[in-house]
């Protein structure tokens, strides 16, 4: 089913003013892109939104982080968990809150999309840590989390159009999946460039479906591999058949073996149990 030209045209000209990123989470990422960032600036930024800060502390002290020292303030979290980890928590908490809608159909799709994106994030971090790339584990997590942000933008754009009495037919699952297939990379790239996101996250959004990638781009290889692994676990909107994961070129790049894949699938499936 091809996406009708009228719907494609209307979607493509939608302004980038829909909430697909939390402003505090974006500011944290921008602050961390400066190697001379100051912890006090990060702390003050998070504390501008006390609801978000509270959710970050709750998640930082959840069973997901068993073994870590209990944190009671954002400053404690930044010092004990690390600035990049706290930034990732902020993005994850805020993204979970953004994947909701009053429209029942849209909300169901957003929840599916959230479970997929979060599973990718957790899986990407696990691969980085366990396959010799611990130094990019936090980047891998966030790259996995935001690689499909174009789909979230498309959903919110379509919801707004439907509420305005336009594009009613777009809220039908098969057509919606076709819209995702044709437009989510384009829209994700547009968003990443608009918000001036660091290159590693732009690549994850714009190149996770490229025919091939550079053998030196480890972060992108991780995102691509885990993205496909989520399909095998039933945590993906895509209905494409999944080939043997070990046959993927990314598997060779990352030196994945059968035991790794079994463990990764367990991690992906457990990601559904993390409450935000």
């Amino acid at each position: 089913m091809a996406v009708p030209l009228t719907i494609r045209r209307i979607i493509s000209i939608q302004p980038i003013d829909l909430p697909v990123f939390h402003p505090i989470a974006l500011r944290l990422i921008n602050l961390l892109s400066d190697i001379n960032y100051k912890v006090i600036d990060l702390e003050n930024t998070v504390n501008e939104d006390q609801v978000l800060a509270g959710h970050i502390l709750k998640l930082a002290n959840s069973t997901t982080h068993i073994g870590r020292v209990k944190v009671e303030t954002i400053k404690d979290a930044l010092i004990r968990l690390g600035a990049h980890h706290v930034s990732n928590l902020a993005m994850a908490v805020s993204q979970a809150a953004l994947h909701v809608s009053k429209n029942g159909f849209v909300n169901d799709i957003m929840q599916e999309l959230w479970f997929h994106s979060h599973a990718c994030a957790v899986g990407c971090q696990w691969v980085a840590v366990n396959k010799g790339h611990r130094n990019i584990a936090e980047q891998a997590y966030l790259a996995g989390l935001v690689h499909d942000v174009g789909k979230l933008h498309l959903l919110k754009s379509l919801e707004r159009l439907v509420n305005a009495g336009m594009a009613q037919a777009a809220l039908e699952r098969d057509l919606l999946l076709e819209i995702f297939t044709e437009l989510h990379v384009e829209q994700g790239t547009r968003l990443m460039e608009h918000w001036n996101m660091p290159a590693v996250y732009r690549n994850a959004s714009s190149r996770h479906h490229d025919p091939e990638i550079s053998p030196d781009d480890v972060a992108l290889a991780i995102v691509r591999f885990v993205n496909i692994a989520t399909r095998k676990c039933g945590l993906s909107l895509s209905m494409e058949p999944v080939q043997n994961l070990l046959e993927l070129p990314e598997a060779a790049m990352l030196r994945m073996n059968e035991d790794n894949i079994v463990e990764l699938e367990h991690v992906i499936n457990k990601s559904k149990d993390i409450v935000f």
Side-chain angles (χ1 to χ4, degrees):
M1 181 190 304
V3 177
L5 184 60
T6 302
I7 291 179
R8 171 184 258 277
R9 184 175 297 144
I10 292 173
I11 291 173
S12 297
I13 62 174
Q14 289 300 297
I16 304 179
D17 62 353
L18 294 165
V20 294
F21 291 124
H22 192 290
I24 296 296
L26 279 176
R27 283 168 57 192
L28 289 173
I29 291 171
N30 288 329
L31 283 170
L32 288 171
S33 67
D34 181 353
I35 60 173
N36 296 314
Y37 71 84
K38 297 178 181 178
V39 171
I40 186 64
D41 292 333
L42 300 173
E43 179 188 3
N44 289 340
T45 298
V46 175
N47 282 327
E48 286 182 26
D49 187 327
Q50 285 298 305
V51 173
L52 179 62
H55 282 302
I56 291 172
L57 291 176
K58 179 181 178 180
L59 190 58
N61 287 306
S62 70
T63 55
T64 308
H65 298 89
I66 286 177
R68 297 185 184 273
V69 178
K70 181 177 175 62
V71 295
E72 297 181 352
T73 67
I74 292 299
K75 182 177 181 179
D76 288 341
L78 288 164
I79 293 172
R80 298 175 190 174
L81 302 181
H84 286 275
H85 190 73
V86 171
S87 177
N88 282 352
L89 291 180
M91 183 61 83
V93 168
S94 59
Q95 284 298 106
L98 289 171
H99 282 75
V100 295
S101 171
K102 293 180 180 179
N103 180 299
F105 173 81
V106 173
N107 191 68
D108 288 344
I109 299 293
M110 283 188 175
Q111 288 298 295
E112 289 184 58
L113 180 58
W114 166 247
F115 283 128
H116 167 69
S117 297
H118 182 242
C120 280
V122 173
C124 286
Q125 185 176 47
W126 185 91
V127 171
V129 168
N130 288 276
K131 298 307 295 183
H133 305 288
R134 185 179 292 270
N135 61 312
I136 64 166
E138 297 293 352
Q139 285 185 332
Y141 177 96
L142 188 52
L145 189 71
V146 302
H147 78 283
D148 265 348
V149 71
K151 291 180 181 178
L152 180 61
H153 181 260
L154 286 167
L155 266 175
K156 288 182 177 287
S157 294
L158 287 168
E159 182 180 28
R160 180 165 62 180
L161 289 170
V162 168
N163 289 341
M166 305 166 64
Q168 298 287 338
L171 293 190
E172 190 275 325
R173 189 179 181 91
D174 288 343
L175 178 56
L176 183 61
L177 294 182
E178 286 295 331
I179 291 172
F180 284 169
T181 298
E182 288 193 26
L183 298 177
H184 83 279
V185 169
E186 170 190 309
Q187 292 300 309
T189 301
R190 183 174 171 230
L191 285 165
M192 291 292 185
E193 291 176 350
H194 177 80
W195 294 112
N196 196 30
M197 293 286 274
V200 62
Y201 310 125
R202 292 202 305 271
N203 282 346
S205 178
S206 65
R207 300 187 57 210
H208 64 280
H209 288 302
D210 280 7
E212 55 185 46
I213 62 171
S214 166
D216 298 323
D217 199 337
V218 176
L220 182 57
I222 292 174
V223 171
R224 287 160 63 98
F225 185 81
V226 176
N227 185 43
I228 295 174
T230 62
R231 294 214 305 266
K232 188 176 178 183
C233 296
L235 282 172
S236 174
L237 289 168
S238 174
M239 299 300 292
E240 295 179 22
V242 182
Q243 68 188 91
N244 185 332
L245 295 179
L246 285 177
E247 294 177 356
L248 296 171
E250 291 81 7
M253 288 175 61
L254 300 169
R255 302 189 303 279
M256 298 292 289
N257 58 44
E258 193 63 54
D259 287 341
N260 294 151
I261 290 175
V262 171
E263 291 183 58
L264 174 60
E265 289 175 359
H266 175 72
V267 168
I268 288 172
N269 286 320
K270 289 292 289 181
S271 70
K272 294 181 291 185
D273 299 333
I274 300 175
V275 179
F276 287 85

